[in-house]
Amino acid sequence: MDKPSKIAGRVLIVPKHNIDTDMIFHNAHLAITDIKQMGRHTFTSLDGFKDFPEKARPGDILVSGGNFGCGSSRQQAVDCFASLGVRLVVAESFGAIYKRNAINSAFPILTFPGILGAGVSEGDEVEFDLRTGEAFNRTKNASLGKGQPFSGVQWEIYQAGNLFEYGRRAGEEG
Amino acid sequence: MGKTTIEKIFSLRSRDAVAPGSIIWLDLDVRSARDFGGANVVKNFRAHYGDAPVADPHRTVFTFDCQVPANTIPYANNQMTCRLFAEGQGMRVFDVDAGIGSHVTIDNRLAVPGDTVVGTDSHLNILGAAGIFGQGMGDVDIAFAFKTGRTWFEVPRSMRIELTGRLKAPATAKDAVLALLGMLGSDGALDRSVDFTGDGASALTLDERITVSSMVTEMAGIIGFFPVDGETAEFYGGRDLPAIAPDPDARYERTVTLDLGTVVPSVARPGSPSDVVPVREAAGRKVHSVFIGSCTNGRFSDLHVAAGILKGKRVAPGVMLKVVPSTRGVWQKLLESGDLQTLFEAGAIVSQAGCGGCASGQLGMTGKGEVQVSTSNRNFKGKQGDGDTYLASPATAAWAALTGVLTEPKE
Ligand code: SF4
């Protein structure tokens, strides 16, 4: 059965641009390979947001600024959110490698130019539609406009569960 | 319609129609993983493919460069995971003595112009300097590439950076790319493939091209290509190389021009590679430590410039100078040219080839209040410790070491 196109949850906001992968998941913890251990290091070197792992609850949605996840290719910077149960990351734009890492591990991310100024406050309950890019603030009962819908590949990998499964379905096992 | 460089290379390596924005399957000539990321690649590979063979084991490689040799138990374990996997698969390992993976790939001619290379290093796009498509990816991506020898890719849009004129000493290629970062900002090439064109681009040496291409990552670009020309051919020993250069009528979304003749010695101030000012505006700032090396400025020509400045002199009292060659080959040239002796006598700590001084931990970190001048490519807060890091050219770094303050290099 297809995963639903809509994701709703409580929003946590990190209102900054150019958050690099060291700020998300510092290189001091790179030797960690167990996803369960990753969550508690999320943002722990980003001033003002070091308490993120305590604050985040399963089902939350993270909203952030432009060029989110620029920097290194570390997968941990995506996996740490999955580890905390964060269901979706919405940002004004993403670093290219970060975007691939998220797409390939079927972790939903949505590119949404202007989201920081679109009328969403920390703690609001917001619904995002991955297929259309639309966002609706349930707490304020207002539309937040439209981000970029999932691309075809992104949707298919998301449905398949990961790149490997998608590759199998696409006959790309090599 | 004419093709940009990335469209050319992708057309050679894909059966799909190549146009900006389209998603294609791309054949990969080389697949690599470093010690960081490598163990996760192996873990993903085993979980999804068990004991199945990797695609062409001769061109599926490990390159260890982050912690060489391993200085923590987890890193040692990760490297062993890779070595044992490689042994079982018959893969090549460029082990802890080899140097920075991207440079090892170029210097060992593992890839030639027109080839496609992926690996777990976000600066693998350095290969664009030699007309090779290189791309850093995460460990899920690379595990898939190890197995299938292919990957999906969204064809990026292209922009052109036209370089005119010639660099005027003491300005260097590093100053030129810092100038571009200052002009374009940290997302100035976001998701774009960059073609460096113009007579200024052609006049740069391969080492200088590497320096420039290496920092396209800091502009959030996918890759920066230099045309394959006589300079490239010479490096490849006169081998017949495919003509990898943009068509004259290639379509670019944007063109920016930089007259290399206007470039002055510059630094990126602590916190952001795009916060760039001329050295003279920051001159006099006290410096505690200097790092010369990295994939951006760890070539022999880079270290040779620094040695020339330091010859017969000593670094200022209290200044720590760290020098890290990018590869074992560079180490050897240091030794043979006498530069090693020069650097040693000047008071430098010369370390094992690799990412030391840039990647965390291998060659020390900065402490609170420490001001570091680094020839690397990133100075985000916290990346190299609690101190403040300025990015600069090897010449500016050597002058800082000599004088103990930020100083405009002299010719
Ligand atoms: S020198 Fe630094 S930026 Fe370059 S590959 Fe090594 S760790 Fe990455």
Side-chain angles (χ1 to χ4, degrees), chain B residues 34 65 100 121 123 294-296 354-355 358-359 376-378 383:
Chain B
R34 322 164 74 173
D65 51 18
I100 302 176
D121 165 11
H123 283 91
S294 88
C295 57
T296 295
C355 295
C358 179
S376 183
N377 44 56
R378 287 179 180 157
K383 174 163 168 79

Side-chain angles (χ1 to χ4, degrees), chain B residues 206-219:
Chain B
L206 182 68
D207 286 4
E208 292 174 320
R209 296 175 188 191
I210 286 174
T211 299
V212 173
S213 288
S214 77
M215 292 194 78
V216 169
T217 304
E218 279 59 54
M219 304 170 198

Side-chain angles (χ1 to χ4, degrees), chain B residues 155-300:
Chain B
V155 182
R157 286 173 284 175
S158 291
M159 65 183 273
R160 173 166 54 181
I161 298 182
E162 178 150 1
L163 302 175
T164 63
R166 298 288 180 275
L167 287 165
K168 288 202 191 88
T172 66
K174 180 62 165 286
D175 301 302
V177 73
L178 288 175
L180 287 170
L181 267 153
M183 271 166 68
L184 293 166
S186 292
D187 55 2
L190 183 70
D191 287 351
R192 303 292 184 275
S193 172
V194 177
D195 278 347
F196 291 100
T197 62
D199 61 316
S202 310
L204 296 177
T205 64
L206 182 68
D207 286 4
E208 292 174 320
R209 296 175 188 191
I210 286 174
T211 299
V212 173
S213 288
S214 77
M215 292 194 78
V216 169
T217 304
E218 279 59 54
M219 304 170 198
I222 302 281
I223 187 166
F225 288 106
F226 279 83
V228 173
D229 57 14
E231 170 71 15
T232 332
E234 198 182 311
F235 180 79
Y236 279 94
R239 219 162 126 169
D240 240 355
L241 300 177
I244 303 295
D247 289 326
D249 58 340
R251 286 245 295 255
Y252 294 99
E253 191 193 52
R254 182 181 177 200
T255 296
V256 294
T257 306
L258 175 69
D259 176 358
L260 294 175
T262 64
V263 171
V264 296
S266 302
V267 289
R269 292 189 288 204
S272 163
S274 61
D275 182 13
V276 174
V277 295
V279 178
R280 69 180 109 81
E281 276 179 37
R285 179 85 204 260
K286 186 175 163 52
V287 169
H288 303 91
S289 57
V290 172
F291 161 58
I292 303 178
S294 88
C295 57
T296 295
N297 280 126
R299 305 287 290 178
F300 176 69

Side-chain angles (χ1 to χ4, degrees), chain B residues 311-395:
Chain B
K311 195 164 177 69
K313 308 197 176 84
R314 265 202 75 86
V315 301
V319 173
M320 171 169 52
L321 169 62
K322 303 186 263 192
V323 176
V324 183
S326 64
T327 65
R328 191 177 174 84
V330 173
W331 231 108
Q332 189 175 352
K333 280 193 197 159
L334 278 188
L335 201 59
E336 290 167 358
S337 64
D339 285 348
L340 184 63
Q341 178 118 13
T342 302
L343 291 166
F344 179 81
E345 284 170 2
I349 303 163
V350 184
S351 173
Q352 161 65 19
C355 295
C358 179
S360 126
Q362 181 65 22
L363 190 58
M365 302 291 278
T366 57
K368 256 198 181 66
E370 182 170 341
V371 175
Q372 176 184 237
V373 175
S374 163
T375 65
S376 183
N377 44 56
R378 287 179 180 157
N379 60 352
F380 306 127
K381 192 169 180 296
K383 174 163 168 79
Q384 284 165 348
D386 286 338
D388 284 339
T389 296
Y390 286 84
L391 302 179
S393 72

Side-chain angles (χ1 to χ4, degrees), chain A residues 96-166:
Chain A
I97 300 176
Y98 191 89
K99 197 162 143 188
R100 279 191 77 90
N101 286 346
I103 291 174
N104 284 336
S105 55
F107 183 81
I109 58 165
L110 206 63
T111 303
F112 203 122
I115 185 67
L116 287 180
V120 49
S121 320
E122 176 121 337
D124 284 357
E125 183 84 9
V126 178
E127 179 184 281
F128 290 90
D129 189 323
L130 310 179
R131 287 294 259 177
T132 65
E134 280 159 344
F136 185 79
N137 190 331
R138 288 180 182 167
T139 305
K140 299 200 170 104
N141 199 24
S143 164
L144 297 176
K146 206 164 165 308
Q148 288 169 14
F150 270 28
S151 68
V153 170
Q154 186 178 12
W155 180 253
E156 281 166 35
I157 295 177
Y158 177 58
Q159 290 303 336
N162 59 48
L163 175 65
F164 306 104
E165 199 44 50
Y166 169 71

